Amino acid sequence: MTVLMNEYEFTATTPERLDVFLAKQITDHSRSFVQKLVLDGHVTVNQKMQKSNYKLCNGDHVEVVVPEPQAISIQAEDLPLDILYEDQHIIVINKARGMVVHPASGIYSGTLVNALLAHCKDLSGINGEIRPGIVHRLDKDTSGVMIAAKDDLSHTSLAEQIKSKTAHRQYLAIVKGNIKEESGIIHGDIGRDPKDRKKMAIVAENGKPASTQFKVLERYGDYTLVECTLMTGRTHQIRVHMTHIGHPLIGDPKYGTTKSPFKINGQALHSENLSLIHPITKEKLFFSAPIPDDMAKILIKLRTRTKNK
């Protein structure tokens, strides 16, 4: 394979569908994105355009040209923010469940970035126009502590702290089943699920190293409250790792094995604590966000049920 900016060249080695082959090769895009590239004429096989279901032959030469993304203007929106801390360099938010962090995949309004643009005069520009100020992300249906940077110097420092693990992130999760161990560390490279490109999974190839430390806080028979500490920061990491050991999160629509018996919109996962060094003052900072009402109500039910047994 050779790559030149946004151009790819591949040589097929096995007979398979064109879109399936490309989805395996171009791992930083979804299969639907790849199929659209084929549909829009950005993919050729032996210099001829083909359909997604075209059957490749051994030795076929495949070329892909990914078009430059269209410029998008992100508008400031006066949306409610639960601000835990703010100064001229950083802002720390308790993100609500259901709020998307930054515009993507056709969602350009109602995000945390839209709200931050209305609240802050300045945000760091390192991540570009779509993700100004965003140092790390939370899934749409994960609530809790998040930090954003108002200037590039602060952004660089915070990103390095997260990368070097000097910034610590702890989460609360309610999972299905009774975890046997009191604590442990889950290791497993995470990448695109080869069977479902919309999901992540522990994979043998093309994954990124990922480790999650967990500690059991409370047991309720067939459910467990755990504290998870991120040792790395991969997409859906806690959700993938807990599912991998047989304990998916309550309410997880993507990785859960059964429908949740509890009223919650999304996975029962909350970013409870974040500790770091202030990028400018070098002061040690610790932030905590209270558990959201939906998770609190689930815990009350579980504790009551367990007590009455």
Side-chain angles (χ1 to χ4, degrees):
M1 179 190 79
T2 59
V3 178
L4 178 61
M5 295 183 68
N6 60 339
E7 298 181 9
Y8 298 81
E9 293 185 15
F10 307 100
T11 300
T13 56
T14 56
E16 59 185 331
R17 282 174 55 117
L18 175 60
D19 57 348
V20 173
F21 171 78
L22 289 177
K24 293 178 181 177
Q25 306 299 322
I26 307 177
T27 57
D28 52 345
H29 292 294
S30 66
R31 183 170 174 177
S32 60
F33 179 85
V34 169
Q35 289 175 326
K36 192 172 189 309
L37 288 177
V38 177
L39 182 65
D40 292 345
H42 298 296
V43 177
T44 59
V45 180
N46 302 326
Q47 299 184 336
K48 293 182 179 180
M49 288 188 293
Q50 301 291 351
K51 295 182 179 180
S52 292
N53 62 356
Y54 176 80
K55 193 70 170 288
L56 290 170
C57 298
N58 187 21
D60 277 349
H61 183 68
V62 182
E63 294 185 50
V64 183
V65 178
V66 181
E68 292 293 333
Q70 296 181 354
I72 299 171
S73 178
I74 305 303
Q75 301 298 319
E77 296 180 42
D78 187 13
L79 303 172
L81 286 174
D82 184 0
I83 299 172
L84 302 175
Y85 174 86
E86 182 179 13
D87 61 25
Q88 66 187 91
H89 304 288
I90 62 174
I91 180 169
V92 183
I93 302 103
N94 177 16
K95 188 189 83 68
R97 186 188 313 282
M99 176 177 266
V100 175
V101 169
H102 61 75
S105 304
I107 301 174
Y108 301 119
S109 64
T111 73
L112 179 61
V113 162
N114 294 109
L116 287 174
L117 287 172
H119 178 79
C120 304
K121 292 183 179 179
D122 296 299
L123 289 170
S124 68
I126 289 178
N127 274 338
E129 185 180 4
I130 297 295
R131 295 181 290 174
I134 302 302
V135 180
H136 66 111
R137 293 180 293 175
L138 295 179
D139 294 338
K140 173 187 174 183
D141 292 325
T142 298
S143 59
V145 184
M146 261 197 68
I147 189 168
K150 294 185 176 183
D151 57 77
D152 290 356
L153 183 62
S154 296
H155 190 129
T156 301
S157 173
L158 293 172
E160 179 56 35
Q161 289 184 56
I162 290 175
K163 182 179 179 180
S164 64
K165 306 179 185 66
T166 54
H168 300 284
R169 293 173 286 167
Q170 288 184 329
Y171 293 71
L172 289 178
I174 309 174
V175 303
K176 185 175 177 57
N178 190 351
I179 300 177
K180 295 180 179 179
E181 301 83 3
E182 292 297 327
S183 62
I185 299 178
I186 307 168
H187 299 289
D189 292 5
I190 291 179
R192 290 283 176 186
D193 188 332
K195 297 180 181 179
D196 185 346
R197 302 293 296 176
K198 294 181 180 180
K199 297 171 65 175
M200 308 301 288
I202 290 183
V203 295
E205 298 179 350
N206 300 319
K208 295 181 180 180
S211 299
T212 303
Q213 187 174 19
F214 71 88
K215 176 183 177 183
V216 172
L217 299 181
E218 297 179 20
R219 300 179 186 276
Y220 316 107
D222 47 357
Y223 295 96
T224 307
L225 174 65
V226 293
E227 176 186 86
C228 296
T229 301
L230 288 179
M231 302 173 71
T232 54
R234 309 303 177 201
T235 301
H236 300 174
Q237 179 172 316
I238 293 175
R239 300 164 66 187
V240 170
H241 274 171
M242 295 310 297
T243 300
H244 179 70
I245 65 171
H247 298 284
L249 276 63
I250 286 178
D252 194 329
K254 192 176 289 287
Y255 302 99
T257 54
T258 58
K259 186 176 180 180
S260 173
F262 303 99
K263 188 175 181 180
I264 185 170
N265 188 18
Q267 62 275 357
L269 183 61
H270 176 66
S271 173
E272 183 184 35
N273 299 321
L274 172 65
S275 59
L276 48 82
I277 304 298
H278 192 286
I280 305 302
T281 68
K282 306 307 177 184
E283 177 186 1
K284 291 184 178 180
L285 301 176
F286 176 83
F287 304 104
S288 182
I291 194 167
D293 288 343
D294 51 9
M295 285 182 65
K297 290 177 181 178
I298 292 174
L299 291 177
I300 290 172
K301 288 183 179 180
L302 290 173
R303 288 164 181 161
T304 301
R305 189 180 68 177
T306 304
K307 183 179 179 180
N308 292 335
K309 280 187 176 181

